[in-house]
Amino acid sequence: MRWQLRPLGPGAAALAAARNLWGPSCLPRRLGWQRTTGRLLVRSVTGASNQLPTPNSGKYRDTVLLPQTSFPMKLLGRQQPDMELEIQQKCGFSELYSWQRERKVKTEFCLHDGPPYANGDAHVGHALNKILKDIANRYHMMKGSKIHFVPGWDCHGLPIEMKVLSELGEKAQNLSAVEIREKARSFAEAAIEKQKSTFMRWGIMADWNNCYYTFDEKYEARQLRIFYKMYEKGLVYRAYKPVFWSPSSRTALAEAELEYNPEHVSRSIYVKFPVSKPSPVLASLLDGSCPVSVLVWTTQPWTIPANQAVCYMLDAKYAVVKCSNSGDIYILAADKVMSVASALETKFEVISTFLGADLENGTCTHPIFPNKVSPLLPASHVTMTKGTGLVHTAPAHGMEDYSVASQHNLSMDCLVNEDGVFTDVAGPELHNKAVLEEGTDVVIKMLQAAKNLLKEEKLVHSYPYDWRTKKPVVIRASKQWFVNIAEIKSTAKELLKKVKFIPGSALNAMVEMMDRRPYWCISRQRAWGVPIPVFLHKTKDEILINSQTVEHIIKLVEQHGSDIWWTLPPEQLLPKEVLSQVGGPDALEYVPGQDILDIWFDSGTSWSHVLPGTDQKADLYLEGKDQLGGWFQSSLLTSVAVRKKAPYKAVVVHGFTLGEKGEKMSKSLGNVVNPDVVINGGQDQSKEPAYGADVLRWWVAESNVFTEVTVGPSVLNAARDDISKLRNTLRFLLGNVSGFNPETHSIPAKDMYVIDQYMLHLLQDFANKITESYKQYDFGRVVRLLQAFYTRELSNFYFSIIKDRLYCENEDDPKRRSCQTALVEILDVIVRSFAPILPHLAEEVFQHIPYAKEPKSVFRTGWINTSSIWKKPGLEEAVESACAMRDSFLGSIPGRNAAEYQVVIVIEPGLLFEIMEMLQTQETSSTSQLNELMMASETTLLSQEPREVTADAVALTGTFVINLEGGDIHEESSYKVIVMPATKEKCPRCWKYTAESSDTLCPRCAEVVGGK
Ligand SMILES: [Zn+2]
């Protein structure tokens, strides 16, 4: 007998408790045993290997229980995409949405799909977006919610119209609005069909039979209703205002339709405006001997003809300076004297300084038109960052200029027409000249001739371009329809505080963008869209719109679509009672307006058409960060405008896709990743193999989607390799549960091997973290947790030690069944944990589960279900302390086979020894739980130094701290691990060095084989 003492004091109780929890069931149980040690990660020491029987291990091959499964280790070439198509068919991917809708469950999860543009093929940015949504939906569905996910398309708008027109070439010029609309519609329909089948191929679960389209009659009718509700509340109005105008598309554009070109070159100029009447203070500072001018700087010389004023900052300091080159007297901000003088390559002598307020009531002469007066006015938008501190103000060509003009009743006349050329009002010299080209040139020449140009130079700066035509836009005043954002903004911001933003910083970005938007111009001068339902008086500046006219139009649109605006004669667009009031059918004084609605207004009202229930509020909107100024915002503004609530409870914002090195994707760089090529392979399959959709999905999940997301060949290869490793893990699990029937063979948790119980304990912890990560939409963390679990906890640790038990014990041995019981649970949890990400692989695994009576769909059988019995205090202490010794042992024999060694563990009497004793009851054993963990031929557990040690023995020492009962029990024990080469021979069956001779079986194998 070995050492018989039992520890006294608190340790004894704890030990007894530990024994009761996972020891033999005959002992009394005690609950509530708490451990407080930090978890020591179980790891295998690389370098040590354990050799295991292979199918070639000679004459005992048939007595060894090797894994058996039809689940393929690898899918080569087309096998991967083909398998996915087969799985989609077999497992009913297309019926899953309606199946889950029909379930009787209480909770619903509504993810409202932001409509992609019905233009061109699906690209990798769509893949990122749609797959993220699908992962979220599949998780919530498995968790038990009914999913509401209706995909949609944004079908109207300039990009489609431009594409159709450019395809038609010269023929396009003679097309009527109706003809353009017909062609645009069929173009959009074709794009939708193509994109839809691509999205389905990615495995996206959705209501594909009931998608929403912004060109649907009912959708258009709803949208018009919202427009009118906003109009009635005074939130929509028509006004003459400066807006971004694209001469190349001949329409107004919204901020979201601009692209800023950082390399745009402008011709910036310094101009002097001769002072015609100085303010009284200024007059007192001047002796009147020479002329005085104010200096301005502008990057847009073509706006000078439209100048109506020069603005200054009320409380800034200004200076009167004398130019050393010309002797002229100038006025400019005191802070800008040095920089402007140096830009003009001269010196300024400061004569006197004064406050901006002292410029009040002064006037200047227009630098081109000497008969025109430009007053000096205070304005809050003047800054000292650029220019001279005195700002040229052209109300028709600047938003801030416009607000100064409205305050001071300045003229807002626009001298530029829809094509971006000067009108005849600009004068004969400028008439018909394009403002950004020849027009600029002529203006500069006129300034020169008037001797008011001081300098011209090229300036490279960021300038807005039309996102479609890629040509520069101008700011130009025109009659447009606007949403009064100022009225809604504060309510919208208040409501946003209750919306959960992921990442949190997106909220600020969205508020900032909203703040920057002075008003929202919602009218466009094109044909392909929803008409603004208003009639214009033929001669007077009057409009006709009221509830009767709008209701009538909405009814017509609901039945026939918005084409009626262009196909029906105007008198039919008006209800009879209104028609009689406005001249009757023969003398109708009004014509239908020609403006259509901004497509952001189209898509921004999708909540009213798509969201279910009376509440019409989605649980989640999930889009790219460009939507912070786009759809997230237009949806919020329309929803707040008509019903004072946000259309979403949470908003997830992802980044853009970039090339592998973080560069933009472009055809010229050749780095465009085409999702179809990713799935089916390219022309040269050695360079572009067929990865299948799961690789695409894995890439999406593992990426940090909250920043920019890179993709390219090496990223995709790595994703494939990751899945391949996961596949091997799954194959091991499937192979080793063959012949196991969970209903009859399972071992109760309390009777399982300590290490098997420990794995279930880890599994529960893993499952909780996985669930939490899905809940937070942190799919990258799901992937990291999964990878860590299957490589570290499973492949490197657990699988390496259980092979002997699985392969070499009797098929029905409780030791083996204990292990299989754990493997079944592990398999189930692992598959469910990645099912939302890799639905094809998950279903494929379920097709190969040997104990399933008939294969079930993983998606129709719920979420991870772990038992709380698995979470056991004390287990970790036992396994981790043994693993500390195991690491010492394996670390001492790098690259060698652990089975060629025997190990002696010496621990002084105490808690640690007691725990080890539970893993090995005999002093020396080759079949104990402790020896299994050590992977040695045999392990000897002693409480004192052995009397004899062989000369080639290596001794290692260490300590292990045990904290139990909330820290009440704290014991630090030292241990010694003595490693010696095995003295016995290699068993020809299990290859452990436990046989008496190399041609006889070890006692364990002899018993197993003999019993057969
Ligand atoms: Zn053996």
Side-chain angles (χ1 to χ4, degrees):
M1 281 298 277
R2 297 188 331 187
W3 175 66
Q4 288 287 329
L5 282 173
R6 288 276 171 256
L8 299 171
L15 185 64
R19 195 189 288 282
N20 293 346
L21 277 168
W22 36 260
S25 54
C26 54
L27 291 170
R29 294 172 156 261
R30 183 180 144 191
L31 295 170
W33 194 42
Q34 293 293 317
R35 65 173 286 279
T36 56
T37 43
R39 200 163 91 71
L40 181 88
L41 285 175
V42 176
R43 62 197 181 276
S44 93
V45 173
T46 50
S49 64
N50 65 329
Q51 290 181 15
L52 285 150
T54 67
N56 298 322
S57 54
K59 63 176 175 177
Y60 295 106
R61 188 174 58 193
D62 295 342
T63 70
V64 174
L65 298 161
L66 290 171
Q68 280 180 3
T69 178
S70 49
F71 181 76
M73 178 134 71
K74 269 199 170 108
L75 295 174
L76 301 168
R78 285 264 347 146
Q79 285 175 335
Q80 178 64 38
D82 288 347
M83 170 67 78
E84 289 179 355
L85 290 174
E86 192 189 319
I87 289 287
Q88 290 195 354
Q89 281 289 322
K90 217 184 214 172
C91 304
F93 270 44
S94 56
E95 296 92 50
L96 187 59
Y97 186 85
S98 52
W99 172 84
Q100 61 90 27
R101 287 299 300 171
E102 283 155 18
R103 283 179 307 167
K104 285 194 178 67
V105 293
K106 278 185 195 139
T107 55
E108 184 169 51
F109 177 76
C110 171
L111 201 172
H112 183 29
D113 189 33
Y117 204 62
N119 180 12
D121 293 342
H123 52 70
V124 75
H126 291 130
L128 176 66
N129 180 259
K130 285 286 191 284
I131 291 170
L132 283 175
K133 287 172 180 167
D134 193 55
I135 296 172
N137 278 336
R138 284 180 183 267
Y139 160 71
H140 281 286
M141 186 201 71
M142 290 175 79
K143 201 86 173 66
S145 290
K146 195 181 272 195
I147 304 302
H148 184 281
F149 183 65
V150 178
W153 273 271
D154 206 353
C155 311
H156 289 130
L158 189 61
I160 292 173
E161 193 174 331
M162 295 296 279
K163 206 146 190 175
V164 168
L165 293 178
S166 69
E167 277 172 13
L168 286 168
E170 280 186 16
K171 279 186 249 164
Q173 287 174 352
N174 306 319
L175 288 184
S176 67
V178 176
E179 286 168 316
I180 293 173
R181 287 172 60 86
E182 245 170 49
K183 295 203 182 311
R185 174 180 287 273
S186 42
F187 177 90
E189 280 168 345
I192 289 166
E193 280 319 303
K194 240 179 133 186
Q195 288 187 12
K196 194 188 285 184
S197 65
T198 306
F199 297 161
M200 289 167 85
R201 176 60 189 88
W202 296 342
I204 311 299
M205 176 190 76
D207 199 354
W208 293 115
N209 299 325
N210 298 294
C211 303
Y212 74 94
Y213 310 96
T214 61
F215 62 22
D216 262 1
E217 298 88 347
K218 290 203 165 54
Y219 189 100
E220 291 178 330
R222 291 249 189 181
Q223 182 182 339
L224 287 177
R225 193 151 270 140
I226 296 217
F227 170 85
Y228 188 66
K229 272 188 195 163
M230 289 171 70
Y231 175 80
E232 253 186 331
K233 291 186 174 188
L235 295 171
V236 167
Y237 62 96
R238 187 169 186 247
Y240 179 81
K241 272 190 188 188
V243 293
F244 286 107
W245 184 274
S246 169
S248 50
S249 313
R250 296 187 98 245
T251 182
L253 293 179
E255 180 75 36
E257 292 165 315
L258 304 175
E259 269 174 12
Y260 283 82
N261 174 6
E263 273 142 40
H264 180 82
V265 181
S266 287
R267 296 171 70 176
S268 73
I269 51 169
Y270 284 91
V271 180
K272 58 180 188 181
F273 280 62
V275 175
S276 51
K277 187 188 96 185
S279 64
V281 175
L282 188 56
S284 72
L285 297 172
L286 302 167
D287 61 7
S289 61
C290 54
V292 183
S293 303
V294 300
L295 289 189
V296 307
W297 176 78
T298 177
T299 62
Q300 307 301 316
W302 61 271
T303 60
I304 292 282
N307 176 281
Q308 298 293 343
V310 173
C311 290
Y312 57 84
M313 214 166 149
L314 262 180
D315 51 358
K317 211 163 111 187
Y318 285 83
V320 180
V321 300
K322 185 170 185 175
C323 174
S324 65
N325 288 9
S326 62
D328 287 348
I329 307 285
Y330 300 138
I331 291 165
L332 74 165
D335 283 354
K336 308 302 286 188
V337 169
M338 295 294 282
S339 59
V340 174
S342 122
L344 297 176
E345 294 163 47
T346 182
K347 288 208 170 70
F348 287 161
E349 181 198 335
V350 177
I351 297 169
S352 57
T353 58
F354 58 93
L355 260 187
D358 297 335
L359 285 169
E360 202 181 344
N361 294 327
T363 59
C364 303
T365 306
H366 191 283
I368 296 178
F369 309 122
N371 298 330
K372 253 182 88 178
V373 171
S374 293
L376 286 160
L377 298 172
S380 54
H381 72 275
V382 179
T383 67
M384 294 296 161
T385 47
K386 274 179 189 157
T388 63
L390 287 159
V391 175
H392 150 58
T393 301
H397 304 297
M399 323 302 180
E400 285 137 339
D401 309 43
Y402 171 85
S403 60
V404 173
S406 1
Q407 258 174 36
H408 297 277
N409 287 321
L410 302 178
S411 159
M412 301 181 200
D413 286 350
C414 182
L415 309 176
V416 180
N417 75 7
E418 292 86 348
D419 291 314
V421 306
F422 283 113
T423 61
D424 56 347
V425 187
E429 278 175 276
L430 291 168
H431 186 205
N432 277 336
K433 307 256 179 338
V435 296
L436 291 178
E437 289 149 34
E438 212 188 342
T440 295
D441 205 47
V442 175
V443 169
I444 290 174
K445 283 194 177 126
M446 290 169 87
L447 284 166
Q448 255 164 353
K451 297 198 172 10
N452 285 326
L453 182 77
L454 293 177
K455 171 147 187 157
E456 182 215 328
E457 64 185 350
K458 290 208 163 72
L459 174 81
V460 179
H461 65 147
S462 176
Y463 189 86
Y465 276 53
D466 183 329
W467 68 324
R468 278 295 135 189
T469 62
K470 313 284 177 198
K471 298 232 169 79
V473 304
V474 295
I475 293 173
R476 173 182 173 271
S478 60
K479 267 227 159 123
Q480 301 290 347
W481 287 87
F482 297 93
V483 171
N484 186 350
I485 293 184
E487 284 283 307
I488 325 169
K489 229 185 246 181
S490 56
T491 317
K493 281 189 205 168
E494 209 43 49
L495 290 166
L496 279 183
K497 285 183 191 161
K498 288 179 207 131
V499 176
K500 182 181 171 71
F501 274 80
I502 300 175
S505 58
L507 171 62
N508 284 342
M510 181 156 159
V511 169
E512 238 167 65
M513 283 192 189
M514 210 153 69
D515 277 338
R516 257 190 304 192
R517 187 180 237 185
Y519 37 74
W520 175 14
C521 172
I522 54 167
S523 47
R524 297 290 182 276
Q525 290 64 51
R526 305 297 309 191
W528 182 226
V530 176
I532 294 185
V534 66
F535 297 85
L536 308 177
H537 197 277
K538 279 178 177 167
T539 52
K540 293 183 234 164
D541 187 17
E542 279 175 16
I543 58 168
L544 172 61
I545 176 170
N546 57 46
S547 57
Q548 286 170 305
T549 63
V550 172
E551 269 312 317
H552 184 72
I553 293 161
I554 287 174
K555 260 186 217 143
L556 288 170
V557 167
E558 210 161 22
Q559 283 173 24
H560 312 287
S562 61
D563 278 348
I564 50 108
W565 193 251
W566 289 268
T567 55
L568 288 185
E571 59 272 18
Q572 288 185 32
L573 293 172
L574 284 167
K576 280 194 191 106
E577 54 275 32
V578 177
L579 186 61
S580 59
Q581 292 159 18
V582 292
D586 301 324
L588 186 57
E589 294 159 329
Y590 288 87
V591 288
Q594 290 303 300
D595 292 347
I596 58 165
L597 282 162
D598 175 14
I599 50 168
W600 294 103
F601 195 89
D602 285 19
S603 59
T605 56
S606 60
W607 57 266
S608 78
H609 182 74
V610 182
L611 298 188
T614 47
D615 190 39
Q616 292 206 300
K617 198 166 191 176
D619 292 291
L620 182 65
Y621 275 39
L622 187 162
E623 304 297 332
K625 63 180 182 184
D626 48 336
Q627 303 307 334
L628 289 169
W631 189 60
F632 291 141
Q633 204 171 115
S634 60
S635 301
L636 176 73
L637 292 173
T638 55
S639 175
V640 171
V642 302
R643 52 179 203 163
K644 284 199 167 55
K645 73 181 177 194
Y648 35 68
K649 291 178 195 158
V651 169
V652 170
V653 187
H654 61 78
F656 297 142
T657 48
L658 295 175
E660 221 154 43
K661 297 180 191 93
E663 75 286 6
K664 260 196 165 179
M665 283 191 213
S666 74
K667 274 190 188 146
S668 57
L669 286 173
N671 63 349
V672 176
V673 174
N674 177 348
D676 187 52
V677 173
V678 172
I679 292 174
N680 295 309
Q683 282 179 336
D684 179 357
Q685 302 248 332
S686 67
K687 282 185 188 136
E688 294 175 315
Y691 288 114
D694 272 0
V695 163
L696 202 59
R697 297 179 65 105
W698 181 265
W699 156 70
V700 168
E702 72 167 344
S703 299
N704 178 4
V705 299
F706 304 124
T707 62
E708 310 305 12
V709 184
T710 57
V711 64
S714 54
V715 172
L716 293 167
N717 261 325
R720 182 185 54 186
D721 293 347
D722 287 343
I723 297 176
S724 176
K725 281 176 203 148
L726 175 59
R727 225 187 151 81
N728 281 340
T729 305
L730 295 164
R731 193 161 185 271
F732 181 91
L733 288 162
L734 286 167
N736 283 297
V737 294
S738 78
F740 181 80
N741 180 352
E743 280 171 23
T744 53
H745 295 143
S746 284
I747 302 286
K750 60 180 169 39
D751 299 332
M752 286 167 76
Y753 247 43
V754 169
I755 187 69
D756 300 336
Q757 292 186 47
Y758 175 71
M759 287 316 291
L760 293 186
H761 167 91
L762 290 185
L763 191 64
Q764 202 207 20
D765 190 47
F766 165 75
N768 290 342
K769 285 179 182 152
I770 288 282
T771 305
E772 190 53 32
S773 305
Y774 273 112
K775 225 164 114 188
Q776 300 296 331
Y777 303 106
D778 192 350
F779 310 139
R781 184 161 177 259
V782 171
V783 169
R784 291 192 298 279
L785 287 166
L786 178 68
Q787 283 181 315
F789 194 74
Y790 73 67
T791 51
R792 198 174 56 203
E793 264 82 339
L794 294 182
S795 292
N796 291 352
F797 175 66
Y798 188 53
F799 292 173
S800 69
I801 60 175
I802 56 175
K803 283 176 187 166
D804 178 75
R805 211 170 359 137
L806 284 170
Y807 300 171
C808 301
E809 294 292 350
N810 245 324
E811 181 173 13
D812 212 21
D813 190 303
K815 290 199 277 287
R816 188 167 176 274
R817 294 304 190 202
S818 162
C819 186
Q820 287 179 311
T821 305
L823 292 182
V824 163
E825 300 293 356
I826 291 168
L827 177 65
D828 192 75
V829 171
I830 291 274
V831 176
R832 287 181 204 282
S833 74
F834 70 75
I837 296 168
L838 305 175
H840 303 94
L841 181 61
E843 292 289 36
E844 190 191 341
V845 172
F846 264 50
Q847 297 285 316
H848 290 273
I849 288 180
Y851 44 78
K853 288 186 190 91
E854 54 190 281
K856 277 185 187 157
S857 158
V858 59
F859 294 102
R860 297 175 197 218
T861 48
W863 187 237
I864 297 169
N865 190 8
T866 57
S867 166
S868 56
I869 299 175
W870 299 352
K871 190 82 192 162
K872 280 193 182 172
L875 265 177
E876 281 168 287
E877 296 299 331
V879 177
E880 286 167 7
S881 54
C883 280
M885 291 164 226
R886 164 191 150 94
D887 287 354
S888 297
F889 162 51
L890 295 179
S892 72
I893 53 158
R896 309 295 301 275
N897 176 11
E900 289 174 27
Y901 293 87
Q902 50 180 314
V903 177
V904 178
I905 296 172
V906 186
I907 307 171
E908 59 197 35
L911 197 49
L912 184 62
F913 184 90
E914 287 295 303
I915 289 175
M916 287 305 106
E917 214 186 11
M918 284 183 283
L919 295 172
Q920 178 164 319
T921 46
Q922 294 160 297
E923 186 171 282
T924 297
S925 173
S926 60
T927 55
S928 72
Q929 300 192 41
L930 182 59
N931 189 60
E932 181 184 64
L933 264 173
M934 305 303 287
M935 303 198 299
S937 274
E938 60 176 41
T939 300
T940 302
L941 181 61
L942 300 173
S943 60
Q944 55 194 36
E945 294 276 342
R947 268 175 236 132
E948 280 175 44
V949 183
T950 53
D952 46 6
V954 177
L956 306 133
T957 55
T959 55
F960 192 82
V961 180
I962 297 171
N963 276 312
L964 294 170
E965 306 239 314
D968 287 348
I969 303 169
H970 176 92
E971 199 174 300
E972 186 177 319
S973 309
S974 52
Y975 61 83
K976 186 184 246 180
V977 176
I978 302 166
V979 182
M980 290 173 284
T983 49
K984 291 191 175 139
E985 296 298 322
K986 185 175 172 183
C987 165
R989 182 169 177 271
C990 70
W991 290 15
K992 280 185 164 186
Y993 286 70
T994 45
E996 293 305 324
S997 70
S998 60
D999 53 3
T1000 55
L1001 291 175
C1002 72
R1004 187 269 314 261
C1005 289
E1007 198 186 323
V1008 172
V1009 174
K1012 278 190 174 165

